[in-house]
Amino acid sequence: MLKVCFTQLIRTRNMSIFIQCLNPLIGTVNWEEKDENYDYHQEVARSAFADMLHDHERNQKYYLALKAAIEKKHKDGEEANVLDIGTGTGLLSMMAARCGADSITACEAFTPMAKCAIKIIQENGFEDKIKLIHKRSTRMTIGKDGDMIKKANILVTEVFDTELIGEGALSTFRHAHENLLEENSIVIPHSATIWVQVVESPTVCSWNTVHPIQNKSKYLLSTPCSVKSCSGAAAVHDIQLTQFPDNAFKPLLPPQPIFRFDLSGKSTLLYNEKKCLHIKPTTSGTAHAIFMWWDLVMDVNNEVLLSSAPVWEHPDTKILQNKGLSLQEIADVIPWRDHWMQAIYYLPVETLVTVNKEVSLIGYHDEYSLWFQLINESINEAPDCERPVCSCNVHVAYCRTRIGQLNDHIRNEKYIKALEKEVTPDTVCLCLSDGSLLSLAAIQLGAKKIFILETNFLSRKCIEMFVKTNELSERVEIVESVNDLPPENAINLIFGEPYFITSIVPWENLYFWYLVSRYSPQIQRIPIAATIMGVIVEFKDLHKIRAPLGICEDFDLSIFDKLIQTSSDKSDSSVEAQPLWEYPAKALSLPFVIKKFDLTQNVNESENINISESVPILTSGMCNGVALWVDWQLNSEITVSSGPTVEVQFGKRISWDPFTRQGVHLFKDITQVTQQSTVLWSFSFVPRYGNITFDFRILSKNMK
């Protein structure tokens, strides 16, 4: 069971600690005893260094640039004195040592990684060549008694995120040039470019604004003007764009380089810039959003390029297409990254553009963030524009996945159809879900009154806004606490989607069951059942986020593997939540039922559940994970799934619901399986405490 743990703690005599943890399944906060270093282990386990280090292309291109820089300094009769900022495991510093650098200073502020790097450097025999400084580069000193005796003349660093500048890259490079580097130093990478592409995509819009709810041709619920006009969330929407269906968007403008950053120090990096591009659209349409990615020129000769572009714009795509590869085949070849994805930026105003009629695309950035606007004319001077922030509360109260779920018309139609079967003019409904607009649609279907439980302040404000816009105040009563729920004789239908803000994995929405169990089973309920499902899979890439490194670029990083695994064992659940539509997976088995719950019976009538069974592998492959989801049975005829959108076929790629996150168990050891293999699984549920646990084990044909 995944729990949200709060920072408040009590330390005991034996140095263990008690931490407040929210159990989202039963909605209670409990004190749990943890290892005294629990926060430390959580931070280490979630640091995501491994995914980055599995990126062979990234590693190799850094190595090529380092080799060229060191050789150039030596060719010019200079020493090669390298500074590695944010060294992590020390990989880049060890590469510099292998390339013959005269001195190497590595700095790392993250304490567990700094300690780990020291051990790795020693294990690989470079302790005499690399000096590690445990502090931020902005606090390093130069001089006889300083962190470095003299300034470096080669800088290598990887301080980039999906947004390029979100981790403080600009200030890191700027401070290094001003304080830590000699003039004419070589910097790796040498420069960076941010690329943008304006697109039309109703699918993309569904993640950003709430659309009206319709039933056939009738509007059941209108969207408040404040939601329609809101700029959206300030946080970047990072996404695996290569997995975004090519028929779900239409490019309106060709990709454009909008910001170029000279990292070499020849010009000062600015913290605040705006750039206006005048471009002629290649297609007419409505501009909804901007796709963004970036690339790095690694060396001074502009020969080594590292790109985070999606497959259709990746610099290697044309080369591979000329070799006869399809776009899908190329997607399997282009390096996969989870540490650097692409991003979507939502335009503050939807703008009509006409082919060949020039428009003005304006980009802005501060020290850490990017934002954009599009004007349907050519302008001489770009206007100032503040960074967008949510003004309607919707984008703060709900994640983008939930907003997309609210706009899923197929899903909505199923709920409306189920409600239509139960709602009469005498219906008084109680809704037990967060931010449920479908509950308001029940009023429009003819219900007499509806009570809505909204314990989250921001979600409550959003529902109040929709109630006011649709003039439903006289028939809607919002309840702020579970202790103030209406009495049993006041309602005759209980409805839930179910969705709760505190839920992380799908089955945590069974909190609905605990809430509805406050009432008699005689009251009609929607949904009537929930089934936890699973399928054994071969992930193409997702497993790399937890896979051990072992030998990485001919360096032994097994010490790092042990650090991550130890911390993960102490702090992580065996199942995590992931949006699986972004991560290709092949089914190695057919879907199997783990447990079906009858929601028409109260949870307190359920006994403890312990199940152990096996599922056969039906096709050979590399077994590296199990995908889990919940099917919600609304009535005897209608089911809403948070899992596959089409029938699963073993040996084929699975198509996943894009508006929920599924549960994922990743095996520590990846195993080659055949049709003689099975996966043993066990499931336990303790209703009283809301504890759900899973366990999975691969049993190959030679095992007993």
Side-chain angles (χ1 to χ4, degrees), residues 452-466:
I452 301 176
L453 177 64
E454 283 288 354
T455 59
N456 180 278
F457 173 75
L458 288 175
S459 183
R460 185 162 64 246
K461 298 292 285 185
C462 294
I463 291 297
E464 289 171 350
M465 182 172 53
F466 276 87

Side-chain angles (χ1 to χ4, degrees), residues 329-350:
E329 290 171 326
I330 295 169
D332 293 336
V333 174
I334 296 297
W336 175 84
R337 301 182 173 100
D338 213 43
H339 55 285
W340 300 332
M341 289 189 269
Q342 298 80 40
I344 298 174
Y345 294 86
Y346 298 95
L347 290 167
V349 178
E350 293 183 3

Side-chain angles (χ1 to χ4, degrees), residues 137 140-142 148 151 174-181:
S137 63
M140 289 180 64
T141 57
I142 307 294
M148 293 193 299
K151 293 182 177 181
R174 188 161 153 175
H175 177 271
H177 281 297
E178 292 172 353
N179 299 277
L180 305 175
L181 299 176

Side-chain angles (χ1 to χ4, degrees), residues 515-663:
L515 291 173
V516 78
S517 294
R518 293 168 175 258
Y519 294 92
S520 166
Q522 303 305 314
I523 298 176
Q524 182 64 40
R525 302 173 180 184
I526 301 175
I528 61 171
T531 306
I532 300 178
M533 303 288 298
V535 64
I536 312 302
V537 299
E538 174 184 311
F539 285 114
K540 176 178 172 290
D541 296 298
L542 181 61
H543 61 286
K544 296 174 187 175
I545 65 174
R546 301 286 175 262
L549 289 160
I551 303 300
C552 176
E553 311 302 336
D554 295 327
F555 298 102
D556 187 352
L557 299 188
S558 55
I559 292 173
F560 169 78
D561 292 334
K562 293 175 184 176
L563 170 70
I564 295 295
Q565 191 57 60
T566 299
S567 291
S568 180
D569 290 343
K570 292 179 181 292
S571 65
D572 286 348
S573 168
S574 64
V575 177
E576 58 187 282
Q578 294 286 354
L580 289 186
W581 75 267
E582 296 186 55
Y583 302 101
K586 178 178 76 172
L588 300 181
S589 74
L590 290 176
F592 56 95
V593 173
I594 291 178
K595 178 62 183 175
K596 182 175 182 178
F597 300 99
D598 182 357
L599 305 186
T600 65
Q601 301 298 313
N602 287 350
V603 66
N604 50 19
E605 298 174 4
S606 299
E607 297 181 351
N608 292 353
I609 297 170
N610 289 285
I611 308 170
S612 293
E613 293 186 15
S614 63
V615 58
I617 299 297
L618 300 178
T619 186
S620 60
M622 298 302 297
C623 184
N624 52 33
V626 183
L628 303 160
W629 67 94
V630 174
D631 287 344
W632 301 95
Q633 190 175 344
L634 307 188
N635 56 34
S636 59
E637 300 173 347
I638 303 171
T639 297
V640 172
S641 178
S642 63
T645 56
V646 297
E647 184 179 357
V648 174
Q649 299 180 48
F650 64 86
K652 303 293 185 181
R653 179 173 173 176
I654 305 172
S655 177
W656 296 101
D657 174 19
F659 302 125
T660 55
R661 289 174 178 262
Q662 292 73 33

